[in-house]
Amino acid sequence: MEAWWRNSIGYIIYPAAYKDANGDGIGDLKGIIEKLDYLHELGIDLLWICPIFASPMKDNGYDVSDYLHVNPLFGSDEDLLTLLREAHLRGIRVLLDFAMNHTSDQHEWFVKAKEDPSSEERSYYIIKKGRRDEKGNLLPPNNWGSFFSTSAWERMPGSEDEFYLHVFAPSMPDTDWSNPKLRERYYQIARHYVDLGVDGFRMDAISHLAKNPTFEDSPLQGGKGGYVLDPSEFSNRPELLGYLKEFREKGVNENTLLVGEVGGCVQPAQARLFSERGRGPINLVFNFDTVWNNGAYGSIDKKDEEIKTDVISLKNNFMRWYENAATCDLPLYWCNHDHPRVLSQYGSVNYRAESAKMLVTTLLFLYGTPFIYQGDEIGMSNVTYDKVEDFLNDEANVDALKSMRSEGRDEETILRFWRRTNRINARTPMQWDKTSYAGFSKVAPKVKVNDNYKEGVNVQEQMEDPYSILNYFQYAISFRKNAIYNDIVNNGRLEIVDYNHPDVFAYLHRGSSTIMVISNFRPYQTYFTFNYEIGDIVLHNYDGVLLKDHVFTLRPFECYLLKIR
Ligand code: BGC
């Protein structure tokens, strides 16, 4: 029997910004429960909910202080049970986001580790003695740098000469997966949630679970203060596969969906080991090859005009995975809570409806299980904050700001860069209607709402407009879920048409019938040679078809889903 997620449409919820039911300005589980009918109507049948476990929220829930209880900011354990029950009643499955690479420094394990050097909990973390320089000053054990700060090591409180490892923020100590006792603790937690009825996990940052066991210096040079961010020291190391296999065997069932976030380092060959159908320990590998194909990543010195979608590279990246990993199930997504809004990346606010519709059409009919990020279905776009301080409610930005300032970047440059790249862009409140705060909350939300909710970028108004982005999404999803289309997408051969076209992303699937998507990724008119015969126009985001002498004239962001004769 085919795995259930091959027929699912996923939707990513960032709970703090979805719907505030209890009026404290922060989204919560009851808010999600309120919106289950909406999601069901949209055609969603799989939710990935970003972390909801107890947390001091230094990294917005990815810093867990208690895995066994719901963060009171989001509700109660009872609310989670209600959410699971109500979602299941509507045929919606639920994945929880499980950050196991690290805990919060406020987790009971770490507290015990600090208090008692002989405790078992101390062995759950990676704690090493520091080094001394010629003058006898204490230095971290090696030169590894971290993602959210300079050195990946922090002094172990209460110890004279030890440090603990944190590949993210200092408040998030890494757990030691080479310790079977630690691993068993995580399997117990997973089993607890599977027993409650959770359908799967999005496994956060799993590429980092195994570290280079030598803990020697990275051979790379440079970095701030001599600390280099060298992900090869702690990403996708050989031991990882064994950990994932054990997690599958001891933590979850065969039918539990495991989605692993592997960052940008895993390539298809390794992904096959992780997720080959019927063999790999996990099911979907999230890698970010198709996310930043417009030159925005690290683009601090570029002008906005220099940011342009590289459509050929996008095609290459999707196809590299399809050609080399089609023995795996693959996820399809444009972005998640760690990225800017796709509409502002590959689409355009000047063509909001056209580009939002084009993007979802392009995505849905490629190969894999689609995941829509909350708000994309109404065309939400990046925020236009007017000062850098507005971005500081994310721990990851605090250090980044210091370092950009110390490199001499002025505020305007930083603002320009963050407006187009920062992950805060994806974390503004969901826009439900045109009442105050976009109907997200009755009180001023902790995170500012994007003002464009007053200009039609909200659910309520789009529900009432048959030509809205929302209604288009619903219609497009209904086709993607149709058994015939689903079979064509999953099992029909995928081919790119006119690979070298710099502006148009066109592909077809040859299955029980042939379907073709043609998408103009530009805010201007382009042309596309078409040597087929149209059987049916299934989806189209403009009125009227401009096709003459085998050439399509494609208007800004115009797209088609066609049946080919
Ligand atoms: C999550 C991020 C988080 C990081 C550390 C990532 O992969 O998606 O939001 O900051 O892990 O947990």
Side-chain angles (χ1 to χ4, degrees), residues 11-260:
Y11 185 91
I12 306 171
I13 292 189
Y14 188 74
Y18 201 56
K19 172 73 186 154
D20 172 21
N22 70 348
D24 63 358
I26 300 172
D28 44 46
L29 296 188
K30 284 206 167 90
I32 301 176
I33 296 167
E34 261 179 42
K35 296 298 176 188
L36 287 172
D37 283 333
Y38 161 77
L39 291 163
H40 178 59
E41 251 180 70
L42 183 58
I44 301 303
D45 45 20
L46 169 61
L47 298 181
W48 145 13
I49 305 180
C50 289
I52 55 164
F53 304 139
S55 161
M57 300 296 273
K58 290 273 177 57
D59 187 23
N60 298 295
Y62 285 94
D63 49 326
V64 178
S65 54
D66 182 354
Y67 292 99
L68 294 174
H69 294 290
V70 168
N71 188 337
L73 277 181
F74 296 146
S76 65
D77 297 349
E78 194 55 40
D79 293 340
L80 175 59
L81 294 180
T82 312
L83 170 62
L84 290 171
R85 195 177 56 241
E86 293 294 320
H88 290 159
L89 276 174
R90 291 162 178 80
I92 299 176
R93 291 184 164 98
V94 178
L95 301 186
L96 294 186
D97 206 326
F98 196 5
M100 297 177 279
N101 173 69
H102 42 262
T103 66
S104 155
D105 59 0
Q106 295 178 37
H107 193 287
E108 189 192 16
W109 300 342
F110 195 72
V111 173
K112 284 198 181 144
K114 278 192 305 193
E115 283 168 359
D116 179 2
S118 63
S119 62
E120 178 175 309
E121 285 77 4
R122 199 164 172 106
S123 70
Y124 294 173
Y125 295 92
I126 300 170
I127 298 165
K128 304 271 172 211
K129 276 202 179 357
R131 299 191 288 197
R132 302 262 169 204
D133 65 11
E134 312 83 60
K135 293 186 192 136
N137 297 319
L138 190 63
L139 300 176
N142 63 28
N143 69 347
W144 296 2
S146 89
F147 290 111
F148 290 179
S149 59
T150 46
S151 169
W153 299 91
E154 191 74 10
R155 286 291 293 273
M156 185 66 194
S159 164
E160 285 201 347
D161 56 359
E162 287 171 313
F163 291 75
Y164 66 86
L165 183 73
H166 60 87
V167 305
F168 292 96
S171 58
M172 294 149 74
D174 278 48
T175 48
D176 186 356
W177 274 70
S178 69
N179 178 354
K181 288 192 177 143
L182 177 272
R183 299 203 298 272
E184 184 50 39
R185 298 298 291 259
Y186 277 124
Y187 307 149
Q188 279 167 8
I189 297 163
R191 286 200 298 268
H192 166 74
Y193 284 107
V194 170
D195 290 347
L196 291 187
V198 164
D199 302 285
F201 297 100
R202 182 262 188 183
M203 304 165 82
D204 178 61
I206 50 155
S207 40
H208 311 307
L209 298 186
K211 327 288 186 212
N212 182 348
T214 67
F215 289 96
E216 283 168 5
D217 275 347
S218 156
L220 299 185
Q221 300 292 314
K224 280 175 217 103
Y227 299 105
V228 272
L229 179 57
D230 177 1
S232 70
E233 297 289 356
F234 44 73
S235 306
N236 307 311
R237 311 252 346 150
E239 300 81 3
L240 176 57
L241 183 61
Y243 299 157
L244 297 178
K245 283 186 175 156
E246 207 180 58
F247 187 87
R248 167 68 70 186
E249 279 157 25
K250 300 191 174 169
V252 299
N253 302 328
E254 224 172 89
N255 216 22
T256 311
L257 172 58
L258 294 182
V259 177

Side-chain angles (χ1 to χ4, degrees), residues 515-532:
I515 59 167
M516 183 168 182
V517 169
I518 304 172
S519 294
N520 176 14
F521 266 70
R522 300 296 178 215
Y524 45 80
Q525 190 164 298
T526 57
Y527 300 92
F528 180 74
T529 307
F530 179 76
N531 290 313
Y532 303 83

